[in-house]
Amino acid sequence: MPQVVLDPQVKTEIDRLAQVRQVDSELLEQFAYFVLEISQQKSSKKAQSLKTDELKKAIYERFGVNNTSELKKSGGFRMATDGMDSLDFRLKPTWETLYRKFVGILPHEQSQEGYGCINGIDIFKYFKPWQVFGLDPKTATKNDVKAAYYQLSKIYHPDNLVTGDRAIFEQVENMYKSIIAGL
């Protein structure tokens, strides 16, 4: 039998549902085990967050420097971070922000789910329009971009009373505009 154990409350609820819905309780129990096993597999596969030293190393490589003082003096870095809030290089969140902006998606933030996540991307942390739209930038046409945008805008437009969300819609719209401007 599976390595997971069902809580007694879950078993009670399975029995109740089996009676109410006239379904085999063993079938529901097997399904519950299946869901728990999948959940355990997903949680065990989740990537660990990078250590501060690993974040720094990636940023240093991106800007071709060897340490934080060289990074601060780098013209490319200063230009790239112009307009960003004040950076406190003593704090890990600063390095995570820089990693997100200049290197890529943090390993523990890949395939995210929940509010503001589209195609595994948290649109409030990452500006990755091609991934959010589910398109390949090398092969996508203007019509592909418009179709992907239309699909997402139908879901998140504020006038949609069920799934509409102004903040998400605005992020999607900004991503659409950035892609279209580059085509």
Side-chain angles (χ1 to χ4, degrees), residues 59-60 62-65 69-84 87 98 101-102:
I59 299 298
Y60 295 159
R62 168 67 176 81
F63 288 97
V65 298
S69 77
E70 286 182 22
L71 182 68
K72 290 177 183 178
K73 294 175 186 174
S74 164
F77 178 75
R78 286 198 320 255
M79 189 182 326
T81 57
D82 186 38
M84 286 180 72
L87 300 171
L98 294 172
K101 186 162 179 67
F102 302 115

Side-chain angles (χ1 to χ4, degrees), residues 165-182:
D165 187 294
R166 179 170 301 285
I168 294 175
F169 178 75
E170 286 173 357
Q171 288 292 100
V172 168
E173 191 171 36
N174 286 337
M175 290 181 184
Y176 171 72
K177 288 176 182 177
S178 75
I179 291 176
I180 290 298

Side-chain angles (χ1 to χ4, degrees), residues 6-15 32 36:
L6 288 180
D7 186 277
Q9 289 176 311
V10 173
K11 285 187 177 188
T12 303
E13 183 64 12
I14 286 173
D15 292 337
L36 288 172

Side-chain angles (χ1 to χ4, degrees), residues 66-175:
N66 296 313
N67 56 47
T68 305
S69 77
E70 286 182 22
L71 182 68
K72 290 177 183 178
K73 294 175 186 174
S74 164
F77 178 75
R78 286 198 320 255
M79 189 182 326
T81 57
D82 186 38
M84 286 180 72
D85 292 337
S86 178
L87 300 171
D88 187 344
F89 293 99
R90 298 170 296 166
L91 303 176
K92 184 176 181 180
T94 296
W95 292 100
E96 288 176 334
T97 299
L98 294 172
Y99 189 98
R100 285 183 193 108
K101 186 162 179 67
F102 302 115
V103 178
I105 299 172
L106 289 162
H108 69 280
E109 293 180 348
Q110 292 180 352
S111 303
Q112 289 194 312
E113 297 174 349
Y115 178 75
C117 296
I118 302 173
N119 290 330
I121 306 294
D122 183 338
I123 63 171
F124 295 109
K125 288 184 179 176
Y126 294 97
F127 194 81
K128 304 282 185 195
W130 292 104
Q131 290 171 300
V132 168
F133 283 37
L135 298 172
D136 181 352
K138 295 176 184 169
T139 60
T141 65
K142 203 170 198 172
N143 286 337
D144 294 335
V145 174
K146 285 181 182 180
Y149 170 71
Y150 179 71
Q151 287 298 104
L152 290 174
S153 66
K154 279 195 320 189
I155 296 168
Y156 297 109
H157 194 280
D159 290 345
N160 182 330
L161 299 176
V162 179
T163 58
D165 187 294
R166 179 170 301 285
I168 294 175
F169 178 75
E170 286 173 357
Q171 288 292 100
V172 168
E173 191 171 36
N174 286 337
M175 290 181 184

